[in-house]
């Protein structure tokens, strides 16, 4: 173990960067949303299409935020020392579940477009849907969503707030209180994330079911947080922040987790596909059949190679993990693939139960990009807001010195 | 042979403090290089093992004898002596196979995955957990081997070119099992052995008799402890850990495929692979606990396998127990949500049908019993954790029994429903497999370094990390922990 990095002369706050970032990202976000609304009303079937694009990007940024919350929880639970210098960032990303709550309103407005099970007409003619009606109905859906966001926002706000308190008080008891909260917190997190993934993504085809689906969404969620972390770090570093506190040793560990979660995602994705393909039961294969029909097959191959094989080869070595300028491009690649994964999860049902639909075509649209910029811009602006008045590392954490001295020995 | 350690009384010292300002010590007494070597070597160097060892060995050998007799009778008579009857054509043999393979997961998890996660506490328990892994896989491999009936055609399981142009069914997960389990066995064995080489050399160097010198000398592969050897050793260990890590997941995933690729309700569900892996780690840790508690007392190792180690294992059992509980609940929910009547029936039948007694045994042992580990006094109470670890072992056996028996006994055709009752030979073979397992484990404890001495030394505060002039990051001195130096 080396001496702890000297951070006395270090720039550990966003300072002037915060208003700049909030202005720019917020501007892009608003612009994106305005363009989306305009496109929605100007194109044919635009409103339905816009809600779908919004859904993909909402789930995308929600998954990153939940990944941040999970990272914070698991660091507390395992009493990790190495990660203290990046924990403030994960706390802030997790706290972005609060902005996701606000951004959830359009989903509620578009429920009829997004969730065909809300249709009374379908309910009348579909015995399967009638069976599921005690679960798949609008009031219960709303109650569940309230519970999900209650758990996520409550937990992440608690963890951020206590950690900020500790910056001032340096009280080690706060660490214990966060550790204590993390154990039941993780259970609540697991349950809410699972059912949220069922509700937001799996129920889009309400006939389909898969017990592993929650784990699949979790894998992508944690993966995407491990991928956005190097991006944030590179941004901060190139703006002169945290030059000494976060070192190659920390990138190395972030890279290892990124690599591991990427393999874990592939493992879960393979397990789901293999079992359904092998058993070949029509009630399960329909969902995959849509994804291997026509152009969707190309997208499925793109995931196989782009989401697993290529980053697997790229991240397996030591060098690409220890150099931020090599790690970040791979992280961006993984983030792009994670987006494609969510698109692949949510979008094929766009044509489901639509008369005369062009089956097998991918409905790419400018709306995918504009809603991405819209939600993403606001997401980044709020992230900067959390960090505006505070240090970028948990100053009062009793394990900060350990993290600053951390070495992959 | 009198050892130096025998003069020091080993006491139970509480090192489970959670103070975030300092990392607690992992070795509570005699935390120095020499005393660690002394206390671990003492087990193998003592003229006689403790009396209790003979008692345990006696019982284990009896059970092994029963195993030999049951298997012999089985080969003579055929699998008709078992309780297998259509529709339950997979009974104890497959249940025991999955049970033992599952137990064999803790060792590699501890030595590979916890190594990659830099969990220093794993060093005190990894060696005998790995040994346990190997013995468990031996027991596991035996069951499908004898289940085939005509054991003299065993080689048909392997794709060997032959004049009949007869090949195994490559699309069957049972064949994938052959590859998965044998790969796992090979890598685990290699991992265990490579890790043991420096300690075998220590045994060789301390040997007082020619025989011991030669025997340990052969297996120490000429280890001299030069820095070049250490460097290569550590590189090899890291690579083996990286190779073993995916194996921890793949083996039990493939075991779960045995069930999940079918279309039988209760077997075919997509969560099976990660669910089986979590269950395997759960049962593996329970078995490590069941063995560690008597072993540390029997061989005077309470200062190396401390309360903190046990507490950490209890936490892992709590986590993995809840993962298993998560899988049970999601399966149940989706069985209803799917809207498939056969699927829903399978689960109602599990919980309230003829095997309800087994189902609720499983739930109580696996999901409810580990919940006591939320309380620190339970996590640090030896009797409590010993009882819970045995309950988990029982529960995890019942989990596999429930999956196999309840789904098979009542499938799609009610006219062919049945109820599976094992015969005495089923029970005796299973009991006998514990004999084989325990015999091997007791021999290991007596003749091989049961704690990875070299690795334990590497996590001592004085193992070469001296930042800030005598101040150790994350470690405290023995005095601060209320320990008097021997």
């Amino acid at each position: 173990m080396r001496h702890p990095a000297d951070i006395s002369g270090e720039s550990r706050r966003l300072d002037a960067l915060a208003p700049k970032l909030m202005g720019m990202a917020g501007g892009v976000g608003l612009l994106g949303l305005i363009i989306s609304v305009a496109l929605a009303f100007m194109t044919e079937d635009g409103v339905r299409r816009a809600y779908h694009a919004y859904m993909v990007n909402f789930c995308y940024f929600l998954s990153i935020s939940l990944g941040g919350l999970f990272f914070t929880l698991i660091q507390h639970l395992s009493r990790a020392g190495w990660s203290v210098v990046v924990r403030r960032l994960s706390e802030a990303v997790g706290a972005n579940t609060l902005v996701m709550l606000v951004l959830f309103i359009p989903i509620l407005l578009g429920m009829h477009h997004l969730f065909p099970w809300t249709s009374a007409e379908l309910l009348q003619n579909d015995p399967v849907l009638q069976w599921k009606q005690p679960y798949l109905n609008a009031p219960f859906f709303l109650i569940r969503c309230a519970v999900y966001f209650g758990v996520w926002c409550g937990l992440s706000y608690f963890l951020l707030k206590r950690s900020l308190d500790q910056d001032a008080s340096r009280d080690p008891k706060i660490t214990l209180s966060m550790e204590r909260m993390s154990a039941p917190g993780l259970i609540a997190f697991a349950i809410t994330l699972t059912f949220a993934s069922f509700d937001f993504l799996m129920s889009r085809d309400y006939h389909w079911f898969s017990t592993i689906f929650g784990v699949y969404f979790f894998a992508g969620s944690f993966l995407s947080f491990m991928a956005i972390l190097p991006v944030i770090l590179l941004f901060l570093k190139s703006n002169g922040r945290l030059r000494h506190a976060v070192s190659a040793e920390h990138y190395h560990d972030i890279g290892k987790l990124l690599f591991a979660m990427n393999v874990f995602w592939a493992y879960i994705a393979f397990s789901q596909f293999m079992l359904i393909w092998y058993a070949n039961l029509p009630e399960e294969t329909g969902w995959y059949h849509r994804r291997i029909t026509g152009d969707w097959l190309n997208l499925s191959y793109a995931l196989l190679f782009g989401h697993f094989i290529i980053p697997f080869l790229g991240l397996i070595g030591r060098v690409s993990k220890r150099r931020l300028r090599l790690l970040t491009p791979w992280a961006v690649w993984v983030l792009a693939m994670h987006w494609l994964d969510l698109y692949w999860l949510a979008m094929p049902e766009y044509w489901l139960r639509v008369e005369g639909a062009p089956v097998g075509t991918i409905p790419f649209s400018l709306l995918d990009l504009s809603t991405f910029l819209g939600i993403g811009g606001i997401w980044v602006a709020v992230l900067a807001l959390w960090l505006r008045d505070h240090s970028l590392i948990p100053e009062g954490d009793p394990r900060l010195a350990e993290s600053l001295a951390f070495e992959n020995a | 042979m009198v050892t130096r350690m025998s003069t020091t009384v080993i006491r139970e010292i509480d090192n489970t403090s959670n103070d975030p300002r300092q990392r607690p010590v992992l070795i509570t007494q005699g935390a120095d290089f020499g005393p660690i070597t002394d206390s671990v070597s003492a087990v193998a160097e003592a003229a006689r093992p403790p009396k209790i060892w003979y008692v345990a060995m006696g019982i284990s050998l009896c059970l092994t004898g029963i195993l030999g007799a049951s298997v012999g009778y089985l080969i003579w008579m055929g699998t008709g002596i078992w309780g297998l009857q259509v529709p339950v054509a997979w009974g104890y043999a497959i249940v025991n196979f999955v049970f033992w393979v599952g137990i064999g997961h803790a060792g590699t998890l501890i030595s590979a995955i916890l190594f990659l996660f830099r969990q220093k506490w794993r060093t005190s328990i990894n060696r005998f957990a790995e040994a346990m892994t190997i013995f468990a896989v031996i027991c596991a491999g035996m069951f499908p081997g004898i289940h085939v009936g005509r054991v003299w055609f065993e080689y048909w399981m392997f794709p060997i070119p032959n004049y009949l142009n007869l090949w195994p069914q490559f699309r069957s997960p049972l064949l994938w099992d052959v590859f998965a389990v044998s790969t796992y066995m090979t890598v685990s064995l290699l991992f265990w052995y490579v890790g043991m080489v420096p300690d075998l050399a220590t045994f060789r160097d301390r040997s007082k008799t020619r025989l011991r010198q030669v025997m340990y000398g052969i297996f120490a592969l000429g280890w001299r402890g030069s820095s070049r050897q250490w460097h290569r050793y550590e590189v090899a260990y890291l690579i083996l850990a990286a190779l073993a890590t995916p194996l921890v997941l793949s083996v039990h995933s493939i075991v779960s495929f045995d069930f999940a690729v079918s279309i039988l309700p209760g077997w075919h569900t997509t969560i099976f692979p990660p669910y089986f892996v979590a269950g395997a780690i759960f049962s593996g840790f329970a078995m490590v606990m069941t063995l560690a508690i008597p072993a540390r007392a029997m061989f005077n190792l309470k200062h190396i396998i401390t309360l903190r180690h046990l507490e950490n294992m209890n936490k892992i059992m709590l986590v993995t127990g809840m993962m298993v509980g998560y899988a049970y609940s999601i399966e149940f929910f989706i069985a209803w949500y799917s809207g498939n009547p056969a699927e829903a029936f399978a689960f109602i039948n599990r919980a309230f049908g003829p095997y309800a007694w087994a189902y609720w045994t499983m739930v109580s042992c696996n999901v409810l019993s580990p919940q006591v580990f939320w309380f620190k006094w339970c996590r640090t109470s030896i009797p409590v954790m010993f009882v819970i670890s045995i309950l988990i072992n029982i529960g995890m056996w019942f989990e596999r029994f429930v999956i196999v028996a309840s789904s098979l006994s009542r499938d799609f055709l009610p006219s062919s429903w049945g109820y599976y009752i094992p015969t005495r030979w089923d029970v005796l073979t299973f009991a006998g497999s514990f004999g084989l397992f325990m015999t091997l484990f007791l021999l290991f404890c007596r003749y091989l370094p049961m704690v990875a001495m070299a690795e334990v030394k590497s996590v001592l505060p004085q193992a070469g990390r001296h930042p800030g002039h005598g101040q150790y990051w994350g470690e405290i001195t023995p005095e601060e922990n209320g320990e008097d130096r021997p």
Side-chain angles (χ1 to χ4, degrees), chain A residues 3-4 79 81 131-132 176 183 187 194 209-212 253 267 274-275 278-279 283-284 399 401-402 406 408, chain B residues 18 20 23 118 171 253 257 261 263 268-271 273-274 315 326 330 334 336-340 374 468 473:
Chain A
H3 288 274
R79 306 208 170 101
W131 173 268
K132 297 185 184 193
L176 287 178
I187 297 173
T194 303
F209 53 89
S210 171
T211 42
I212 208 173
D253 267 19
Y267 162 63
M274 209 286 285
L275 292 177
Y278 199 112
E283 65 208 34
E284 291 180 333
R399 298 192 184 104
E402 192 186 329
F406 166 64
N408 273 288
Chain B
N18 290 334
R23 297 283 181 189
R118 291 190 300 268
R171 282 176 290 188
S253 296
F257 289 168
V261 296
I263 53 166
H268 173 68
T269 178
T270 49
I271 205 170
K315 286 179 184 170
Y326 168 91
I330 295 296
I334 294 288
W336 171 81
Y337 177 88
S338 69
N340 179 335
W374 282 101
W473 289 110

Side-chain angles (χ1 to χ4, degrees), chain A residues 350-372:
Chain A
Y350 181 67
W351 297 130
L352 188 64
R353 295 187 190 84
V354 174
E355 288 284 327
V359 174
T361 57
I362 302 176
F364 276 129
S365 147
L366 258 186
L367 279 159
D368 296 327
L369 181 67
S370 64
T371 47
F372 174 81

Side-chain angles (χ1 to χ4, degrees), chain B residues 431-454:
Chain B
S433 67
F434 276 95
L436 177 62
F437 178 73
M438 286 309 301
T439 307
L440 292 169
F441 187 74
L442 287 164
L443 287 174
F444 157 76
C445 290
R446 175 70 179 121
Y447 294 106
L448 290 172
M450 67 175 282
V451 170
M453 295 181 272

